[in-house]
Amino acid sequence: MITFMRPKVLPLLLSAALLAAGGMLLLQRAPQLLQSAYTDLFKTAFLGILLEALPFVLLGALLSSLLRVYVPDEWVSRWIPKSPVLAILFGCALGIVFPVCECGMIPLVRRLMHKGMPLYVGIVFILSGPILNPVVYGATMTAFRAHPDIAYARLGLAFAVAALIGLIVYVTAKRPVLRHSLRGEGMEPHDNKARGGKAAAALVHAADEFFEMGKYLIVGCLLTAGIQTFLEHDKLAAIGERPLGSYFFMMGLAFVLSLCSTSDAFVASTFLHTFPEGALLAFMVLGPMLDFKNSLMLLSLFKTRFALYLFFLICSMVFTGSVLLSLWL
């Protein structure tokens, strides 16, 4: 029998209900807060980013779930080339076939490693998959419809960073770096033989992934709207005018916000006239590769020393590549 709500969700719903009730009581006692110009600006910014990003998040969840249920993992591992260079290119190309958001990328790659995928190919897929897929490309083009070169630069930088890190890992990682045994990781959390069959399982997976991504999207939209509303634009412009400060600020923002790759372009587009385009690239490439929630998942998959080594490679290459690409944009 398919379960649509897990028991652990109930405490979150109760907490949210209590917070909502407390907020309503507070606003009733201070109605002037609802009439503030800052409140209107905050609501407009939040709803604008959220409503523009939600369709792409939903589409990514549906495609990801269909592939997860109907496409066997063995099909991927069977076609991995023996040559390291070709295998890395294959890992980058997997993102086009498996449009999986970074929220579900690590569990998927863990299953593929269980089926025989090499470590360096799995890392390439983890890094490139959330960006090199048609859903994210469409979302980026929509967010930067007046600047399509930014969408092309995002794909190119993600491909280059993932491929270079894959080569480095292939050359340097000679010892086992996985924290736990992969035995038993190929099991699906929802049984396809349950009532409704694969179609029902795909819908359950899609709902799970949509709500899993949606909570990070909402938090990210709230924080971004808050920054846009309450942080003075003069201060943001001052950060953007610094040669390297804007890159570090946007990379740190990407790590903290932990946005889905199908929605981060809409957040980045709100900073288009404040920060240089290279800093926006760093935001859109680093976020899907390494953010707060992803770092915890990577630390649970890999040993700490290797995970920190991987974090260093990602940050340094994204920073270097975005600075170099800023000379072209």
Side-chain angles (χ1 to χ4, degrees):
M1 182 176 180
I2 298 176
T3 302
F4 289 91
M5 181 175 289
R6 299 171 185 171
K8 66 180 182 180
V9 177
L10 295 178
L12 297 177
L13 294 179
L14 292 175
S15 301
L18 291 175
L19 289 175
M24 292 178 64
L25 292 175
L26 177 63
L27 291 176
Q28 287 179 355
R29 295 187 177 183
Q32 64 273 17
L33 291 177
L34 293 176
Q35 301 175 358
S36 171
Y38 287 105
T39 303
D40 294 336
L41 184 59
F42 176 83
K43 290 188 294 184
T44 301
F46 170 72
L47 291 176
I49 299 171
L50 181 65
L51 293 179
E52 197 170 13
L54 272 180
F56 292 96
V57 176
L58 178 60
L59 179 60
L62 287 173
L63 292 176
S64 169
S65 301
L66 290 174
L67 290 170
R68 184 178 182 182
V69 172
Y70 288 100
V71 178
D73 295 336
E74 293 86 348
W75 287 12
V76 177
S77 58
R78 188 182 304 166
W79 291 96
I80 296 178
K82 301 299 182 182
S83 170
V85 176
L86 294 179
I88 289 174
L89 295 177
F90 176 80
C92 292
L94 278 179
I96 302 175
V97 183
F98 287 84
V100 183
C101 178
E102 70 272 12
C103 303
M105 180 63 66
I106 294 178
L108 174 61
V109 171
R110 188 165 49 189
R111 290 196 303 271
L112 292 174
M113 288 183 179
H114 174 74
K115 301 296 184 180
M117 173 178 279
L119 170 66
Y120 67 97
V121 180
I123 290 177
V124 170
F125 187 29
I126 288 175
L127 299 180
S128 64
I131 302 176
L132 300 181
N133 70 69
V135 178
V136 174
Y137 172 74
T140 309
M141 287 295 291
T142 302
F144 293 95
R145 56 178 66 90
H147 302 271
D149 52 334
I150 295 181
Y152 303 140
R154 183 187 191 185
L155 296 179
L157 180 58
F159 175 84
V161 169
L164 287 175
I165 291 179
L167 285 174
I168 293 174
V169 171
Y170 172 76
V171 173
T172 58
K174 301 300 182 181
R175 298 179 180 179
V177 298
L178 295 174
R179 185 176 293 276
H180 303 294
S181 172
L182 293 176
R183 183 172 58 185
E185 294 293 342
M187 295 184 296
E188 293 287 345
H190 298 285
D191 189 0
N192 293 340
K193 295 181 181 179
R195 187 174 63 184
K198 289 186 176 181
L203 292 177
V204 173
H205 284 306
D208 287 346
E209 188 164 351
F210 177 74
F211 285 109
E212 179 69 20
M213 293 183 293
K215 61 185 180 183
Y216 294 111
L217 172 63
I218 292 175
V219 172
C221 290
L222 286 172
L223 291 175
T224 305
I227 291 173
Q228 292 288 320
T229 303
F230 299 106
L231 188 61
E232 296 180 4
H233 289 276
D234 293 339
K235 295 181 179 180
L236 285 177
I239 297 175
E241 290 174 356
R242 298 173 184 173
L244 300 180
S246 59
Y247 290 86
F248 292 129
F249 176 81
M250 292 303 291
M251 291 173 68
L253 187 64
F255 182 85
V256 173
L257 293 184
S258 299
L259 291 173
C260 177
S261 59
T262 55
S263 59
D264 58 357
F266 298 100
V267 174
S269 64
T270 63
F271 296 98
L272 184 59
H273 301 293
T274 308
F275 293 97
E277 295 176 342
L280 303 184
L281 273 181
F283 175 86
M284 291 188 292
V285 175
L286 180 73
M289 292 185 177
L290 182 65
D291 56 27
F292 183 74
K293 64 181 188 299
N294 254 8
S295 62
L296 298 179
M297 297 175 70
L298 288 172
L299 284 169
S300 68
L301 178 61
F302 300 117
K303 295 180 179 179
T304 303
R305 179 177 296 182
F306 179 80
L308 295 177
Y309 174 60
L310 186 61
F311 297 168
F312 170 76
L313 290 177
I314 295 172
C315 293
S316 59
M317 290 194 176
V318 169
F319 174 78
T320 303
S322 59
V323 170
L324 293 176
L325 278 175
S326 66
L327 302 177
W328 170 69
L329 292 173

